[in-house]
Amino acid sequence: MEFLDHYQETVAKAIEKYTFKNKPAELYEPMNYIISHGGKRLRPIMVLMANDLFGGDTEKAIKPALAIEYFHNFTLIHDDIMDEAPLRRNKPTIHTIHGINIGILSGDALLIKAYQFFEDLEPELFKKCIKIFSETGAVLCEGQQMDVNFETDNNVTYDDYIQMITNKTGVLSAASFKIGALIAGTSDQDAEALYNFGKHIGIAFQIMDDYLDVYGDMEQFGKRQAGDIYENKKTVLYLLALEQATEEERAELKYWYSKKIDNVDKVHSVINIFRRTKIDEKVLRLIQKHNEIGQDYLNKINLPEEKKRPFIELANYLLRRES
């Protein structure tokens, strides 16, 4: 994945170039704090990859790519507040250090800065990109609210879950690719094909996140193990387990998910049901399915296979994350 290293270096240099030096420091230092932690920065990389695929200018795409990264981190700050999460990328979350008020305000400021990073685009392109960006932000909020609703909704279906993660995660990856493609000047048809590719690998990425919440190395991911179970999040693991479980196991699952308690017995009981119903195998197959759907959309773009190979490698990389 050497090509990822190149893109990560490009994004890192741009972030360093545009480090916030404004005042008051109490507002901007938390913004720099979360941006500097990095992560894999996949979404701005998606913008640059799409731009390169269609022969675009990296300098023209780099600020919109950062806009996507700033927007993503804005959502993380607010998600952490809503989830009362103590860690993000193995570091203390902003609200645990600075308090909820600064967390909310610095997240808001990141969102505003993200919009400003589109301002260098020519008017017609600016309008196209901002339309996608704004629609994506609204849909993402819908997905977040669905996720919150699911905690107390006892009738969540598998289709509800897929819609929620499509809104909450899939559309941001999709928009990243589409914006990069449009900045490069490609056709609406090819930009839409890349959008759908991004949507499905975004879905696969989120399902993998849900999988790793239970089966992953928490030290590596900087999250609390089984945090979704503690929070009663009705992920694909829970929903598939309900389908596969015995009547007694279903009753036990519903019992534990009716109680939002910090109880290790709850986690052990739920994970044992996941293991007995072989949910890990089923979830990994589902991830592969969405990866294949995404690659079908990629195949619709009439470009040499060699140019599209990094996108296939990126999609496959999402399936090989450490567990």
Side-chain angles (χ1 to χ4, degrees), residues 113-298:
K113 292 294 183 182
Y115 272 95
Q116 290 178 328
F117 265 24
F118 286 101
E119 291 174 355
D120 291 348
L121 300 176
E122 57 267 31
E124 192 58 35
L125 183 56
F126 172 82
K127 185 177 178 180
K128 272 188 174 183
C129 290
I130 286 295
K131 185 174 187 292
I132 296 164
F133 190 63
S134 296
E135 287 174 351
T136 299
V139 169
L140 193 144
C141 289
E142 292 168 8
Q144 175 68 3
Q145 186 61 56
M146 290 177 72
D147 194 18
V148 172
N149 291 351
F150 286 1
E151 292 179 24
T152 54
D153 186 348
N154 294 322
N155 298 305
V156 177
T157 66
Y158 171 78
D159 288 343
D160 292 334
Y161 165 84
I162 293 297
Q163 185 63 60
M164 183 272 289
I165 66 169
T166 299
N167 290 1
K168 189 174 175 181
T169 303
V171 294
L172 188 55
S173 299
S176 301
F177 281 127
K178 189 171 185 178
I179 286 171
L182 289 174
I183 291 171
T186 194
S187 67
D188 289 344
Q189 182 179 353
D190 280 349
E192 189 64 22
L194 204 56
Y195 178 93
N196 283 305
F197 167 77
K199 180 174 74 173
H200 283 281
I201 69 164
I203 291 169
F205 183 85
Q206 183 57 54
I207 296 173
M208 180 61 88
D209 249 20
D210 292 349
Y211 171 88
L212 292 172
D213 180 74
V214 173
Y215 297 103
D217 179 349
M218 292 303 109
E219 190 170 322
Q220 176 183 347
F221 290 98
K223 296 180 182 178
R224 180 188 194 185
Q225 184 169 26
D228 290 343
I229 296 174
Y230 282 111
E231 295 295 323
N232 295 338
K233 290 188 180 292
K234 296 180 177 69
T235 66
V236 67
L237 285 76
Y238 170 80
L239 295 169
L240 290 179
L242 278 182
E243 289 181 4
Q244 303 295 322
T246 64
E247 188 174 340
E248 183 180 348
E249 287 169 336
R250 277 196 296 274
E252 186 177 355
L253 276 173
K254 289 180 178 180
Y255 167 79
W256 285 119
Y257 273 71
S258 70
K259 299 180 179 300
K260 195 168 183 179
I261 52 175
D262 198 350
N263 187 322
V264 71
D265 291 337
K266 170 181 178 176
V267 171
H268 287 162
S269 298
V270 171
I271 291 177
N272 283 338
I273 294 173
F274 288 172
R275 285 176 178 151
R276 289 198 296 271
T277 51
K278 298 184 178 178
I279 291 307
D280 56 334
E281 298 173 14
K282 294 176 175 62
V283 169
L284 290 175
R285 284 198 296 270
L286 186 60
I287 292 167
Q288 182 60 37
K289 171 191 166 186
H290 281 282
N291 181 54
E292 290 170 358
I293 293 171
Q295 294 193 26
D296 285 342
Y297 279 107
L298 187 65

